[in-house]
Amino acid sequence: MNISGILVVVPPARIEGATRALNALPGVEVHHTEPTTGRIVVVQEAETVDQEVAALSRIKALSGVMLAEMVYHVFDETPPEWDAIPADMAAS
Amino acid sequence: MELSRRNFLKSGVAAATAMAVGIPISRIASVAAAETEQDWRWDKGVCRFCGVGCGIMIATQDGKIVATKGDPDAPVNRGLNCVKGYFNGKILYGKDRLTQPLMRMTDGRFDKKGKFAPVTWDQAFDEMAIQFKKAYEEKGPTGIGVIGSGQWLIQEGYAMTKLMKAGFRSNNIDPNARNCMASAVAAFMQVFGIDEPPGNYDDIEYTDTVVAWGANMAEAHPVLWQRVIDRRLGHADMKVVNITTLRNMTSEGSDLEIIIKPNTDTALLNYLAREIIHRDEVNQAFVDAHCVFCAGPTDIGYGMRATDKFAFEAEKDIQAREIEVTLTRDEAIGLGLDPEQVHTIKQANAATADRHWLVGFEDFKTGVEPYTLDFVAELAKGDAEESLDAFKAKLVRLADLYADPKRKMVSFWTMGFNQHVRGTWVNEQIYSVHLLLGKIAEPGNSPFSLTGQPSACGTAREVGTFSHRLPADMVVNIAKHRDITEQTWKLPPKTLNPKPGSHITKIMRDLEDGSMSWVWVQVNNPFQHVANANHWLKAARENDNFIVVSDAYPSISAKVADLILPVAMIFEKWGGYGNAERRTQLWREQVPPPGEARSDLWQILEFSKRITLAEVWKDQAIPGLKDEGFEEGKLPDVMASAQEMGYQPEMTLYEALFETPENKAFAWPDPVAKGHDNHTVKHLGVDWFVEKALFEEYAAFGRGHHHDLAPFDVYYQDDVRGLRWPVVDGKETPWRFNAKYDPYVKNGEIEFYGGAMKELVTGNLTGPTTEEKTKFPGKAKIFFRPYAAPVESPDGNYDLWLCTGRLLEHWHTGTMTRRVPELHRAMPAAVLDMNEKDAEERGLKRQDTVWIESRRGKIKAVIETTGRNRPPRGYSFMAFFDESVFVNKLCIDATCPISKEEDFKKTAIKIYKV
């Protein structure tokens, strides 16, 4: 499980529409908005890094979004057990 | 995870994010943030990836990284991160992390044909030393080599440089940074006499214009690009220009996109210089007071071998151009020659490509005169579907921006300029434009070379891990520099080898031709990232060479190695990086490395215990050494003078070079650690603070010599987020060469005080006409450099350009980013971006799998015609992160003859359906 805090910036006039559009995305929740500057803090939850990156691309693709970058990441995973020799090395 | 805990965690993350970027939140929310983080230990660090040098905060719990965030107090990124920042906490935990030494073995003994098996550290170092001594005894200091990195920590690069140059007396040490920004370095030295930029990132917030030259900043430097975009939104006059060979993400944020043909940047810059002169916009007072004009030879070759003995049959036609070149019509015009005549030119200055001399302003003016709008527009227009008139209008618009005396200009560039057979020239030319205008060394006016690696500046350049360098911009072939270094390192006179060693491409060539047979690779993946890879893979596996690779993951280089040493990664060790704006940043060890993995520094020091002074400080043969004060082809035995200094023949290099009385004075534990561990010290079994001692020893080279670093402990203060050198009297230097900001300026308001190559003979555009040298201290050079065609261009057989580069999601050869398995599944393979019409013409469509073939090899890949990179007709692009596609099997290993940096941007290919 990965949880990310993302800063999104939109033109101030469009902050309400952007908030609705963001909340409609799967795994995305708007937590804080700053109407004067158009800044929005969203939290995104994803099973995998892949989903996380794809979801960030979806946010960037929303109409009016000028900036969307990750600020904060929490990793809630157990580290792997490492092999003596990685599988694809054993063959070489 | 329980729902309630997860919701609580999310509130905390939201509140912490808001706080990081300065959005006011309620007291309840801030309490949530504090509670989320209450069991975590936070400390400051630096992003592991590109050269921007973003500050990050790292949270650890129970020896593991649990969270990272953009550092709100970091002036570089102000709380933001790009997606690569996200990987800092993930890259340590890939499933195939290497955790113990692996050696090729058969029946319990080393065997080059054997399979990898786990060995102890002692077994690993013992075999490594046996093989080292075999190569060293047979071939001498030039028979061994080290390929290092712009990702080496400052202390690692310093220790390896000292071991190689002072210990082994070999200059065959070169970083992968050679292939990243050596052209930038060469131009800094040639133009200013000192390395690294006058300005800094803050220029973005002071400027009216940003021009990206061969730099896809939106993908490769996203956080800086964000600052550019912010400035554009907040400053009505701001203009952004993208000069590129294909449409890319940077075009989207630009006001003006100029698509040019490969290598025509040299012509475009001459057009700008000509326009500035013709419009009478030369800042005459600035030029008279602070500049001289220069020219150099143009018959300099392309950095290839001078023999085709090792070339594949198909490579031989291009390889012959290293000896003799027939000028293209455009090259003839650009040199002021009659284009109707055939000009066949012997490449007589291939080995002396950096030679240059003073010329007059009138000579410079004559040189740029052929670069009219008509000539340059015809030559440079890169998109066949754009009209010539539209393209001309863009060039005029660009000239309007640069030439406007009221407009502040920032020029950014990266690999488009640097990875270029005339990379040093084109770097010099952008300075020429800024110098003619006086738009330099003040807020908002800044020609700025961006870097691709986190410590290309801090380690590769400042420490001097190149084959010709010593610390603080000194070089091995100047006697005074060797003297200073020998005194600082307490070496007997003439220990250091005055003959520059092999650069990275030459190390590969040396392995192929048998002149080198032992190589140690650290913190990079050269068997994937060096061009023309088929040659080097074969040299590694089939010749009698011993390849040691220190790596965290099974990269291509690890797989072709004979011995793999598992390494500690970024936050598993104490270290420091220096970013592109001269900012030095240090961090503490945050978590322990897994298994038997150890820092590169520990590995260097442990290996140095296995070699004695008697084995290295004796007579040594150095083929081709001809320096004054040395017997030809030889380094002298220095053991007698060493013994007078207190050294003994049986002392190890560890004792002589590292565990010195001065270094042992830095005690571990140290209060600066604040409870953080140090596995390097622990496993060495010593009580001295290795990283601190080496940092301070290294810093002594630069203090008082334009490169002052602050004391080690200062970088660890809570209120410091790196400092831009020179740090003088506790103050950093934001803009160099400007008396308002730079204490080293002693004469006038502007002084280009760099000392290298500030005394030259005088001549005209074709050569020197005097033997008398003129000194010009404090001045910068404005070079005339003509247009030069690429060494290889598409023809009837290989009919398409191939350019290689980076993507946002994957970094360089992908050794780390490809380890995040989910991401790898999402973007598993590099694709070939090409123009839809070029695909149609070949009976292909997007998603077809094709063979891509060059003179050097062929690979299979999927084509894409609707990706985020949109090449014009005749052009294609592929990222180099993917070892399964392995684009460097195709690329030519030609280099800029001055900088020795490879040109990964211009290979001719053909494609056909599988």
Side-chain angles (χ1 to χ4, degrees):
Chain A
M1 178 61 61
N2 296 285
I3 295 174
S4 298
I6 299 171
L7 172 69
V8 180
V9 182
V10 298
R14 302 180 66 169
I15 199 161
E16 282 182 29
T19 302
R20 277 195 302 276
L22 286 163
N23 275 324
L25 291 175
V28 174
E29 294 170 9
V30 172
H31 279 250
H32 301 279
T33 57
E34 195 180 45
T36 51
T37 59
R39 297 195 296 171
I40 303 170
V41 169
V42 307
V43 170
Q44 177 175 280
E45 185 180 350
E47 281 299 323
T48 66
V49 179
D50 164 29
Q51 290 174 10
E52 187 100 63
V53 172
L56 183 64
S57 303
R58 279 202 297 274
I59 293 174
K60 287 183 175 188
L62 288 179
S63 172
V65 168
M66 299 188 295
L67 165 81
E69 291 297 351
M70 294 186 177
V71 172
Y72 199 113
H73 318 293
V74 179
F75 312 101
D76 201 41
E77 290 170 32
T78 315
E81 300 279 319
W82 283 292
D83 297 328
I85 304 181
D88 67 331
M89 292 286 290
S92 59
Chain B
M1 200 189 303
E2 286 171 53
L3 193 65
S4 57
R5 190 189 143 214
R6 197 184 304 168
N7 285 337
F8 180 72
L9 189 57
K10 280 153 79 172
S11 305
V13 167
T17 303
M19 285 158 73
V21 296
I23 292 179
I25 52 170
S26 69
R27 209 180 59 80
I28 294 170
S30 69
V31 169
E35 284 186 20
T36 301
E37 299 176 350
Q38 66 182 348
D39 297 329
W40 300 347
R41 179 178 72 179
W42 285 98
D43 201 11
K44 62 180 175 176
V46 190
C47 178
R48 169 69 183 79
F49 297 96
C50 81
V52 173
C54 294
I56 60 172
M57 298 296 294
I58 306 137
T60 52
Q61 189 179 23
D62 303 331
K64 183 177 176 288
I65 295 179
V66 287
T68 59
K69 63 181 172 190
D71 184 346
D73 297 324
V76 172
N77 53 309
R78 303 160 187 180
L80 286 186
N81 262 182
C82 77
V83 71
K84 283 187 281 280
Y86 181 91
F87 293 127
N88 282 291
K90 297 288 288 182
I91 50 171
L92 311 182
Y93 305 111
K95 177 77 177 82
D96 54 351
R97 181 87 193 258
L98 298 167
T99 58
Q100 52 188 323
L102 301 173
M103 189 156 69
R104 290 187 182 275
M105 311 267 276
T106 303
D107 301 332
R109 297 183 58 184
F110 168 68
D111 175 10
K112 187 150 182 96
K113 304 283 178 209
K115 287 198 184 313
F116 283 113
V119 292
T120 66
W121 275 109
D122 270 337
Q123 281 175 293
F125 284 132
D126 287 348
E127 189 64 37
M128 194 171 156
I130 289 168
Q131 297 290 339
F132 172 87
K133 288 174 192 185
K134 187 177 121 193
Y136 197 80
E137 284 302 310
E138 189 190 327
K139 294 173 181 166
T142 53
I144 56 123
V146 165
I147 299 177
S149 178
Q151 300 155 56
W152 250 341
L153 312 183
I154 290 166
Q155 293 94 333
E156 292 167 351
Y158 179 72
M160 188 65 104
T161 294
K162 193 176 187 188
L163 178 63
M164 280 293 282
K165 296 193 174 178
F168 303 154
R169 306 170 86 186
S170 175
N171 292 324
N172 291 344
I173 170 173
D174 213 41
N176 60 350
R178 173 73 70 179
N179 277 338
C180 180
M181 28 73 337
S183 299
V185 176
F188 275 117
M189 296 308 290
Q190 301 245 93
V191 172
F192 302 105
I194 186 169
D195 196 7
E196 299 196 28
N200 64 72
Y201 301 153
D202 300 344
D203 286 308
I204 296 169
E205 284 81 26
Y206 289 102
T207 199
D208 309 308
T209 327
V210 163
V211 184
W213 291 83
N216 185 5
M217 291 178 70
E219 290 216 49
H221 300 95
V223 167
L224 281 190
W225 185 241
Q226 205 49 62
R227 286 175 63 172
V228 172
I229 295 300
D230 278 353
R231 174 69 177 164
R232 187 163 168 252
L233 292 171
H235 179 55
D237 286 338
M238 178 78 169
K239 293 283 177 265
V240 179
V241 185
N242 185 28
I243 302 176
T244 174
T245 50
L246 76 171
R247 172 160 296 172
N248 54 30
M249 280 171 71
T250 300
S251 300
E252 285 170 30
S254 300
D255 301 281
L256 181 62
E257 177 199 56
I258 302 179
I259 294 183
I260 61 169
K261 281 203 203 84
N263 261 38
T264 62
D265 42 9
T266 53
L268 186 49
L269 285 156
N270 281 340
Y271 159 73
L272 291 177
R274 185 184 182 277
E275 278 296 306
I276 290 162
I277 294 168
H278 278 253
R279 295 181 185 199
D280 206 17
E281 294 292 0
V282 174
N283 184 336
Q284 206 64 52
F286 185 91
V287 170
D288 290 348
H290 308 302
C291 305
V292 294
F293 290 87
C294 283
T298 59
D299 50 348
I300 60 174
Y302 304 92
M304 297 182 289
R305 280 183 170 125
T307 168
D308 64 6
K309 191 175 163 196
F310 300 93
F312 301 141
E313 205 51 43
E315 291 182 284
K316 289 185 177 172
D317 59 338
I318 297 298
Q319 201 278 326
R321 288 168 59 83
E322 188 61 25
I323 310 296
E324 190 175 271
V325 175
T326 300
L327 299 183
T328 65
R329 188 186 156 78
D330 294 320
E331 285 178 309
I333 296 171
L335 282 164
L337 302 172
D338 178 359
E340 306 311 323
Q341 301 245 319
V342 176
H343 302 277
T344 301
I345 313 282
K346 285 255 182 251
Q347 300 299 291
N349 276 297
T352 45
D354 60 344
R355 210 160 61 86
H356 58 283
W357 51 86
L358 293 167
V359 298
F361 174 61
E362 288 303 319
D363 296 301
F364 181 84
K365 206 172 144 185
T366 306
V368 298
E369 190 51 32
Y371 295 84
T372 61
L373 179 62
D374 286 344
F375 169 61
V376 173
E378 286 263 10
L379 169 62
K381 187 169 78 72
D383 181 357
E385 290 168 346
E386 183 171 38
S387 79
L388 190 61
D389 285 344
F391 186 70
K392 277 185 184 173
K394 288 181 174 178
L395 299 195
V396 171
R397 183 80 190 102
L398 181 68
D400 292 344
L401 294 171
Y402 271 100
D404 178 352
K406 293 192 287 295
R407 176 169 279 278
K408 288 191 156 78
M409 300 293 298
V410 170
S411 303
F412 282 125
W413 64 93
T414 42
M415 300 312 147
F417 267 13
N418 294 347
Q419 296 173 343
H420 189 307
V421 284
R422 294 293 179 263
T424 306
W425 286 11
V426 74
N427 271 267
E428 290 164 354
Q429 285 178 289
I430 191 75
Y431 296 126
S432 296
V433 167
H434 277 263
L435 288 165
L436 283 170
L437 297 162
K439 295 187 180 185
I440 190 166
E442 62 178 8
N445 276 325
S446 175
F448 194 98
S449 155
L450 296 167
T451 60
Q453 296 187 84
S455 205
C457 290
T459 306
R461 294 157 75 163
E462 292 156 29
V463 170
T465 67
F466 289 96
S467 60
H468 63 297
R469 277 235 194 164
L470 294 166
D473 281 6
M474 293 190 291
V475 289
V476 297
N477 53 352
I478 293 181
K480 191 179 149 204
H481 293 178
R482 290 194 305 276
D483 292 346
I484 292 168
T485 307
E486 283 166 350
Q487 283 159 21
T488 309
W489 282 346
K490 299 189 168 54
L491 306 175
K494 296 189 183 171
T495 304
L496 293 175
N497 176 352
K499 188 169 187 294
S502 295
H503 55 85
I504 201 163
T505 307
K506 186 158 187 304
I507 289 176
M508 292 298 188
R509 292 173 187 164
D510 291 348
L511 288 172
E512 185 178 45
D513 70 23
S515 50
M516 189 185 292
S517 54
W518 184 94
V519 163
W520 188 358
V521 174
Q522 283 199 324
V523 207
N524 79 125
N525 186 8
F527 288 94
Q528 186 176 339
H529 75 67
V530 177
N532 210 354
N534 278 323
H535 286 274
W536 328 130
L537 294 172
K538 186 159 172 263
R541 288 313 315 142
E542 294 182 20
N543 295 2
D544 185 19
N545 294 326
F546 192 77
I547 316 283
V548 185
V549 173
S550 300
D551 211 333
Y553 285 105
S555 60
I556 292 261
S557 299
K559 287 176 193 165
V560 304
D562 299 292
L563 174 64
I564 302 170
L565 306 179
V567 293
M569 296 180 80
I570 175 120
F571 299 121
E572 295 164 349
K573 52 192 178 181
W574 285 75
Y577 280 157
N579 80 353
E581 60 164 0
R582 296 175 279 107
R583 185 182 299 276
T584 311
Q585 308 191 73
L586 272 55
W587 65 88
R588 298 178 178 91
E589 183 172 315
Q590 304 294 335
V591 290
E596 298 283 307
R598 303 274 187 273
S599 68
D600 297 86
L601 184 58
W602 178 84
Q603 296 177 17
I604 295 164
L605 268 48
E606 280 296 327
F607 185 65
S608 74
K609 291 178 180 172
R610 283 165 162 80
I611 314 292
T612 63
L613 290 180
E615 292 170 300
V616 289
W617 285 6
K618 57 186 182 179
D619 278 345
Q620 298 285 5
I622 305 290
L625 186 155
K626 288 195 180 75
D627 289 61
E628 203 185 317
F630 290 85
E631 201 181 321
E632 188 168 330
K634 273 180 98 172
L635 289 176
D637 187 324
V638 295
M639 209 52 241
S641 35
Q643 276 176 284
E644 283 170 26
M645 296 169 75
Y647 295 104
Q648 300 305 320
E650 65 280 5
M651 271 177 95
T652 68
L653 290 179
Y654 172 77
E655 294 165 304
L657 303 179
F658 300 115
E659 199 178 58
T660 61
E662 295 81 4
N663 285 344
K664 285 177 76 172
F666 293 93
W668 176 270
D670 182 309
V672 79
K674 288 190 169 172
H676 288 247
D677 208 351
N678 186 329
H679 86 275
T680 299
V681 164
K682 187 160 91 188
H683 291 291
L684 276 172
V686 295
D687 58 2
W688 57 287
F689 191 171
V690 180
E691 292 87 351
K692 183 171 178 173
L694 291 177
F695 182 89
E696 290 295 342
E697 182 186 307
Y698 154 62
F701 280 96
R703 291 180 183 146
H705 301 280
H706 307 145
H707 289 83
D708 311 60
L709 297 174
F712 183 81
D713 288 0
V714 169
Y715 294 99
Y716 289 95
Q717 289 173 9
D718 288 341
D719 59 347
V720 169
R721 291 297 186 270
L723 294 167
R724 289 168 291 193
W725 61 265
V727 184
V728 180
D729 298 330
K731 278 177 66 183
E732 57 174 350
T733 301
W735 285 275
R736 282 201 299 174
F737 312 135
N738 183 328
K740 272 187 224 158
Y741 309 98
D742 183 350
Y744 274 110
V745 172
K746 307 291 185 211
N747 302 294
E749 288 172 17
I750 297 284
E751 186 180 21
F752 297 107
Y753 51 69
M757 296 178 280
K758 293 288 181 78
E759 186 180 11
L760 291 173
V761 297
T762 302
N764 55 33
L765 291 181
T766 51
T769 52
T770 59
E771 286 183 15
E772 194 191 335
K773 288 187 173 178
T774 307
K775 289 187 180 177
F776 46 94
K779 294 196 174 187
K781 297 172 197 160
I782 296 176
F783 276 88
F784 168 69
R785 299 297 196 182
Y787 165 70
V791 61
E792 167 171 299
S793 297
D795 54 25
N797 185 15
Y798 301 98
D799 56 1
L800 204 59
W801 283 114
L802 172 68
C803 173
T804 70
R806 306 166 210 224
L807 286 184
L808 176 61
E809 294 85 351
H810 283 291
W811 194 67
H812 290 189
T813 62
T815 308
M816 293 175 285
T817 52
R818 288 178 72 250
R819 299 274 96 73
V820 182
E822 303 90 337
L823 186 71
H824 182 51
R825 275 198 296 279
M827 299 198 66
V831 297
L832 184 78
D833 288 309
M834 66 184 295
N835 189 283
E836 194 172 7
K837 289 179 184 162
D838 285 334
E840 268 171 29
E841 206 172 79
R842 289 163 177 80
L844 303 168
K845 58 183 188 315
R846 69 180 291 265
Q847 301 298 331
D848 277 352
T849 302
V850 296
W851 282 109
I852 311 172
E853 185 179 331
S854 79
R855 287 170 172 83
R856 293 152 208 98
K858 66 177 193 175
I859 60 173
K860 236 192 275 188
V862 168
I863 61 169
E864 177 57 82
T865 57
T866 58
R868 61 179 100 137
N869 290 309
R870 297 293 182 93
R873 295 294 304 268
Y875 199 80
S876 69
F877 175 88
M878 182 179 270
F880 71 103
F881 72 88
D882 187 351
E883 66 178 48
S884 67
V885 176
F886 210 155
V887 71
N888 273 322
K889 286 182 174 177
L890 304 178
C891 294
I892 186 168
D893 59 323
T895 72
C896 167
I898 301 174
S899 71
K900 320 295 187 199
E901 175 166 354
E902 293 183 332
D903 187 335
F904 296 91
K905 304 292 189 188
K906 298 161 204 112
T907 297
I909 55 163
K910 58 183 167 187
I911 63 172
Y912 43 93
K913 198 151 188 196
V914 171

